[in-house]
Amino acid sequence: MKIIRISSILIFTLCLFLSCNKKEGAKPLITDINNNPNWTQKFPGVWETSVNTPSEVNLLSAVEAKPRAEVLKTFSEESFPVEKSEIKVYTKNGKTHIRFPLDDKEQIYGLGLNFKTVHQRGRIMKLHMDHYTGRDEGRTHAPTPFFASSKGYGVLINSAKYIDVYVGTGVTKDSKNPAESRDRNTSKNWNPRPKSDNLELIVPDNGVEIVMFSGKDVQETVQRFNLYCGGGFVPPKWGLGFWQRTPTLYDEHAVQEEVDGFTKNNFPLDVVGLEPGWHSKSYPCTFEWDKTRFPNPDAFVNKMTNQGIRLNSWINPFVSPSASIFESIKPYTGTHTVWTGIVPDFTMPEAIKIMSDHFQKEVISKGVSGLKIDEVDGYDVWLWPDSAQFPSGLDGEMMRSIYGSLVQKWSTDMYRKINQRTYGLVRASNVGSVSYPYVIYNDYYRHQDFITALINSSFTGTLWTPEVRSSGSPEDWIRRMQSVCFSPMAMLNAWADGTKPWSYPEVYKYCQDVAFLRMQLLPYIYSTFSEYYLKGIPPFRAMAMEEGFSFNEVVEDGELSSTNNPYKEAVKKEIKDQYMMGESILVAPMFADQKTRTVVLPKGKWFDFYTGAYVGDGEIITASHGLDKIPLYVKDGAIIPMMKQIKNTSEWTPQTDLEVRVYGSKSHEFVLYDDDGESFDYEKGEYTQKVLSTSIVSGKLNGTIKDLKDGKSWSYRNLRWNFMSK
Ligand code: GAL
């Protein structure tokens, strides 16, 4: 009995001891980790998973983006590109956390239209639709939640919420590849940012859809992403000519004088942009012609069309109380106004119908070829707040993320109805808009950053124009003109300043030269765009997508100072000022203050575009082109189809002589594409392809052309091979 009592006392004391030692509150840090989300393979190299119950509306569903299944199926089978158990997913307090492993040398691209950086590793961002703020912090015109890894995979987080991303900044305590611990007291190599082994995202939602893409390289990963989100598109031929946007209050006479000025000064022109003054009221807009400036819009548009000039009309979609549709659309608009205009809910068929009927009457039936859809990105101070509600049930946050995509879909569908391609401008876009024929632009104007944005657009499924407005000097003017002529939309946006290509007479000759060079290159550029549609390859793309390109980031020691920076942050240098236009041309723009610049050539032989001379192989060269030229380099074997100098794409007729330039000594093939240039019939397979190929015959390169796909349209005759590298 006694023994039993003593042992019970002992057990009780032990339990008491143990329970006192159990730390209160030390709960498991993360419960519910879904270490193995169920990935379903959808296409070769494409897998989807759905965590918990995602919101019904997401970036892709908002615009009914459908994968281009017939093309995706032609890609090769791949194994899942990341160790599945290393992808951690859990939901806590209404937020879904996703973590991907990162290797020490892995680089990350994408995560929105950034303007200052191409390498995203080391950044912290909140992806949020906005006018670019001047810092790569996630607020931008295309805050696309997609990243591509240098290891050959990419991930799309298909959510219309504002997403937090920590790209290789966090360090987990259970890391399999931990950072070395150093003592700052004694070690010079103490690092304020010990290496991180992961990329983490936080989606403020109870669930989310994730899509994984693999690729043999960054480009193939991006191709799969683009095709999964709907593929690319081929713009109308006129869209690739030169664009001039006229000052806001120009009337029909001033516009005609502008067009005459282009003829007189011998400068290419295809499109004239009308800015807010074409509306009877703007900010908010009526979408009805101002009868004092344009008394007879039908006759005006007709007159322009007869001169080969297309019109593009500026709008923002905020409906003025003076608009004839104000009362009818009111029930289908959000709780908040923008500049006193009501905001149509473009997810609702009723709103779409009212806007479409109105635009059909005022814009499309008149013959206007496209729109510039402004201010759909927002500035927090004037856009609807996140608390806004829309009649479809969407809140302000989700609507802001998808609004740019919705207006692209709405407007493209109107042109699709009349089987006429359009090409326009939009200030907000997102995942899901890759098949819509729009180019992003903004009010920010740093030339260098415009080029970095052009590079990054290739990771976001969007296009970007480094538009020219005005300049502090002739040098700045010509350097900007050169860049814009090597972009998806060669546009001078003179809405505020009334500048013309000849505004800086000192460099006018060089402006003409580069604009005509673009026109000459249209057969190459148009074929490049066909690859965007047929294969999802971005027409203007980052060097990271180019085979043989490697540039190890240069990391320099940062400054240590007690007042500014006690952490001695490293300074990284990366390549963010050169890019590829199509498969063969490397563009290295120069900026106003530069007399020389360096260019990093990928491995393989490279040649000067203008002379055909050999310039280097996988090395860093110095370009010292004067103001008369933009540095352009061409790959060994490149085949570049060009035509005569034309002023308007209506001259790109079935009788155009073709000059095919060949660079270097390697045999190669180029698929020259053509179609009617205007309708959507190319999507039904109505296009022509011929293969231009070179091979070595008796020690010399020889060129031949053969049919690949028959179609009705073919614009060329009298092919002349021009072997540039003698
Ligand atoms: C800005 C736009 C400019 C110009 C202007 C007209 O928002 O970015 O390109 O269109 O509006 O008011």
Side-chain angles (χ1 to χ4, degrees), residues 163-164 238 257 326 329 498 509 538 573 640 710:
I163 300 173
D164 287 301
W238 54 260
E257 268 172 38
F326 184 80
I329 203 159
K509 163 90 182 58
K573 284 202 183 132
I640 317 264
D710 263 351

Side-chain angles (χ1 to χ4, degrees), residues 248 275-276 283 314 372 374-375 427 441-443 467 493 495:
T248 300
E275 287 286 315
Y283 286 87
W314 173 101
K372 166 175 170 180
D374 207 8
E375 282 127 354
R427 230 171 64 180
Y441 64 99
N442 74 358
D443 288 336
E467 64 171 35
N493 179 11
W495 77 276

